[in-house]
Amino acid sequence: MAEPTPGPSAGPSAGLSARGAGRGAAFFDVDGTLTTGTTLFRFLEYRFAAEGRPAHAYRHERQRLRAMTSGGVPRTETNRAYFASYAGLDASYVAELAAEWFSGELAHGGFLHGPAVAALCEHQAAEEPVVLVSGSFPAALAPLARHLRVDAVLATEPEIVGGRYSGRVHTPMIGRAKADAARAWARARGVDLTASTSYGDHSSDLPLLELTGRGVLVGGDAELRERARWRGWRQLPAPAPLSAPLSAPLAAPQSAPVPRLPA
């Protein structure tokens, strides 16, 4: 199935000051909003398979992080724990592999959530800046940002020292951090937040949704839908789950780069 094609838009930051000053922008969460799968874990599965790791290695890591969440560990700390497996990896290798992964997702189909992408294209047609605000990280989001031709990406920034990931994270882009980052971005460019729109699917997106003059809920649980009705927020349908795991047929692509470190 072909993915939705983004509408007309300038490349990242092109003409941004002129288009953004004194008017609104659109801020989009990514996982569960613009995408039907979670970029962090879809990419991690792909990365492990491309490095020749057994399938149970990914399942073990996924279960470890799920157990943290189930045990009440804050999402910010789970986000930090995710990046521990990147320690020592060459940043250029991760970026190269992420580009391959995203190309595979597009070829496989169903990864982008059509209604949310259509809304993004409407903002671009209105010449409003579009910003991705995500707990994911730049390497995994860069191919998506290029494909959708957005203006900026505000994301979790894993520490990179000497060209390699350290496994540490300074500030996970979760919850209040999303609103703080969007506010700072808008203030620096003269963007009117009361004329802006934000999109999200999870309770952790509430600070971002409440920051702008208009909020749009994508799917969401019963509590979030009730909040959307009370606030008069527009609602879009939830993404349909992907029908197949990434490991079949996308894992271990023949074109995958050789890892810089032993898998």
Side-chain angles (χ1 to χ4, degrees):
M1 180 179 68
E3 298 290 358
T5 301
S9 172
S13 300
L16 185 55
S17 297
R19 292 192 296 114
R23 62 185 306 173
F27 299 91
F28 282 82
D29 169 59
V30 175
D31 295 337
T33 299
L34 282 171
T35 65
T36 59
T38 305
T39 56
L40 287 175
F41 292 110
R42 296 285 289 185
F43 174 62
L44 185 68
E45 183 181 18
Y46 186 90
R47 194 197 107 204
F48 275 21
E51 293 174 351
R53 302 192 190 202
H56 66 76
Y58 169 75
R59 292 195 297 269
H60 180 271
E61 181 67 1
R62 188 75 176 95
Q63 289 166 0
R64 178 181 77 90
L65 296 168
R66 279 177 173 159
M68 291 177 66
T69 301
S70 300
V73 175
R75 293 186 80 211
T76 52
E77 297 310 307
T78 304
N79 186 271
R80 292 180 189 278
Y82 168 88
F83 289 102
S85 74
Y86 287 78
L89 287 181
D90 187 283
S92 62
Y93 158 70
V94 174
E96 182 182 355
L97 196 62
E100 289 183 3
W101 157 74
F102 185 72
S103 294
E105 292 284 14
L106 292 182
H108 189 251
F111 187 62
L112 299 184
H113 183 38
V117 172
L120 182 149
C121 292
E122 290 175 2
H123 289 288
Q124 290 176 326
E127 298 189 345
E128 293 179 341
V130 173
V131 182
L132 305 185
V133 191
S134 175
S136 189
F137 68 119
L141 294 172
L144 174 67
R146 289 192 294 268
H147 179 72
L148 296 177
R149 291 176 284 176
V150 304
D151 295 281
V153 175
L154 307 176
T156 297
E157 295 279 355
E159 184 181 65
I160 297 175
V161 179
R164 293 183 181 272
Y165 286 88
S166 71
R168 297 184 294 272
V169 171
H170 295 298
T171 304
M173 192 63 69
I174 304 288
R176 178 59 57 185
K178 286 188 174 183
D180 292 343
R183 183 183 296 107
W185 184 92
R187 183 184 299 118
R189 292 157 183 81
V191 169
D192 182 358
L193 287 172
T194 64
S196 297
T197 309
S198 53
Y199 294 75
D201 73 301
H202 190 269
S203 58
S204 62
D205 296 321
L206 277 173
L208 178 64
L209 290 166
E210 293 176 338
L211 175 69
T212 56
R214 293 180 296 273
V216 181
L217 180 63
V218 182
D221 59 24
E223 181 179 353
L224 278 176
R225 290 195 298 272
E226 180 60 31
R227 176 72 67 93
R229 285 192 291 269
W230 178 67
R231 294 293 298 268
W233 290 340
R234 181 184 172 199
Q235 297 184 52
L236 295 178
L242 286 167
S243 59
L246 183 62
S247 55
L250 296 181
Q254 293 182 356
S255 59
V258 176
R260 305 315 198 254
L261 295 177

